[in-house]
Each structure stands twice: as structure tokens, then as C-alpha cells.
């Protein structure tokens, strides 16, 4: 492996970021055999934390439904998990993905769906919870991505917005 090519993203030029973004977009637009697109995801070990925060918000006197955005939803199973936890009717579920490959699936699962970069979500400051599961390691500009996600979380006075980023543990033996 050529470690000379491993640079912090802040040292990459805007052109390099754009080239990386373009390559990833092309990959996801054409990757019908990508495992994350084959079966509904089942990330209960991650989603249980999100559901805990939803319960906390609702128990804390939140008026109306919790607004929850999943970034990089793919073929998410989160709506089914909400249903199994008796919370589906208490949540407005937004899904975002970089590709329309799972558009039909997401239309059945989410209340609102966004396609393209996470910045395409037009709900700045309106989300109670934003989460992603095994997405962060795929972004080309982590700092910008975090800024976008953080800006989507509710910034209303007294609000308890939350951002959850779940990712792989690369320190586990045998992980590739």
C-alpha cells in the first residue's frame, strides 16, 4: 500500500474532493450488487440507541412527532424496527441516500426521502435526531459532512437534538 497517498482530507484540493465525490457517486449509481442494496439492513445494535433517544424526547414532553433523519439509508430496516418498538406512529421518518437505486424501497419506508448529498436535505435545524449507520467511512469530506449533519439537528432553544454516527471498528482482528 502506498501510504504517501493517505492524506488528511483538509490537505486535499477542492478538485481532488470533487473527483473523489464523482467516483463514489458513479460507483453507487451503478453498484446493483452492492451488499447494502440487497436485503433490508438490520442494525438493531445501533438503532436501539436512536430509539432510546426517541423515547427520551417523547417522555420529556416533546410536542408532536419526533423528526428523525437517516443519512445513507440504502435499503434501511429502520422503519420496521420503529414499528416493532411501537414507535412508528410517533416519528416522521426522513431517509437520505446518494443514489436512487433503492427509491421504491425508501418510498415505502420513509415519510420523506432525499436523494443526493446529505446537503440536499432542506430541513436545516428541524431534525430532532440525525443518524447514519456505516456511512461516515464512505464520505469524501468528513468535516463538511459533519457540519451538514450537525446543522440539520434541531437548534431550537431547549431542544435536545442528537446526532448518532455508527461506524465499523477497524481494530477488530480480521476486519476488512
Amino acid at each position: 500500500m502506498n501510504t504517501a497517498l493517505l492524506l488528511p482530507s483538509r490537505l486535499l484540493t477542492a478538485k481532488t474532493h470533487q473527483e473523489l465525490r464523482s467516483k463514489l457517486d458513479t460507483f453507487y449509481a451503478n453498484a446493483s450488487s452492492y451488499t447494502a442494496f440487497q436485503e433490508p439492513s438490520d442494525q438493531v445494535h445501533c438503532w436501539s440507541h436512536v430509539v432510546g433517544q426517541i423515547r427520551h424526547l417523547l417522555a420529556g414532553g416533546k410536542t408532536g412527532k419526533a423528526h428523525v433523519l437517516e443519512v445513507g439509508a440504502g435499503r434501511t430496516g429502520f422503519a420496521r424496527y420503529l414499528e416493532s418498538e411501537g414507535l412508528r406512529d410517533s416519528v416522521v421518518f426522513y431517509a437520505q441516500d446518494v443514489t436512487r437505486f433503492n427509491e421504491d424501497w425508501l418510498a415505502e419506508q420513509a415519510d420523506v426521502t432525499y436523494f443526493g448529498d446529505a446537503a440536499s436535505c432542506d430541513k436545516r435545524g428541524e431534525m430532532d435526531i440525525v443518524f447514519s449507520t456505516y456511512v461516515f467511512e464512505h464520505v469524501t469530506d468528513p468535516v463538511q459532512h459533519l457540519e451538514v449533519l450537525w446543522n440539520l439537528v434541531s437548534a431550537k432553544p431547549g431542544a435536545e437534538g442528537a446526532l448518532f454516527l455508527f461506524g465499523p471498528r477497524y481494530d477488530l482482528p480480521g476486519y476488512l
Side-chain angles (χ1 to χ4, degrees):
M1 179 159 94
N2 184 351
T3 56
L5 298 176
L6 298 175
L7 297 173
S9 66
R10 69 181 180 280
L11 298 180
L12 300 177
T13 66
K15 180 182 177 187
T16 301
H17 274 285
Q18 183 55 45
E19 288 171 356
L20 290 170
R21 177 78 263 149
S22 178
K23 287 178 182 180
L24 276 176
D25 290 345
T26 299
F27 169 78
Y28 289 118
N30 297 301
S32 61
S33 62
Y34 186 53
T35 43
F37 296 165
Q38 301 308 308
E39 297 293 328
S41 61
D42 183 12
Q43 305 294 339
V44 174
H45 60 288
C46 299
W47 297 338
S48 62
H49 299 285
V50 177
V51 163
Q53 183 66 19
I54 293 169
R55 291 187 194 285
H56 175 75
L57 287 170
L58 297 174
K62 167 146 180 70
T63 57
K65 296 181 177 188
H67 290 251
V68 179
L69 169 65
E70 181 176 6
V71 175
R75 193 171 280 266
T76 185
F78 185 68
R80 290 179 179 176
Y81 181 61
L82 286 174
E83 187 72 40
S84 73
E85 292 292 311
L87 289 170
R88 185 62 183 99
D89 292 337
S90 300
V91 172
V92 178
F93 177 43
Y94 300 80
Q96 176 275 335
D97 207 14
V98 295
T99 178
R100 291 184 175 271
F101 187 82
N102 290 303
E103 185 172 11
D104 293 340
W105 174 264
L106 292 173
E108 293 177 13
Q109 303 300 308
D111 299 305
V112 180
T113 306
Y114 296 97
F115 295 101
D117 191 83
S120 67
C121 301
D122 63 354
K123 297 293 183 183
R124 184 180 171 99
E126 295 182 34
M127 294 296 149
D128 295 303
I129 300 169
V130 174
F131 76 96
S132 66
T133 310
Y134 303 103
V135 171
F136 192 65
E137 67 273 18
H138 296 268
V139 301
T140 55
D141 191 337
V143 173
Q144 179 192 24
H145 185 73
L146 283 173
E147 288 174 359
V148 167
L149 300 185
W150 188 249
N151 286 327
L152 290 167
V153 176
S154 182
K156 299 171 192 161
E160 292 188 43
L163 174 60
F164 292 90
L165 302 175
F166 303 103
R169 289 193 50 190
Y170 291 108
D171 62 335
L172 295 175
Y175 183 85
L176 297 175

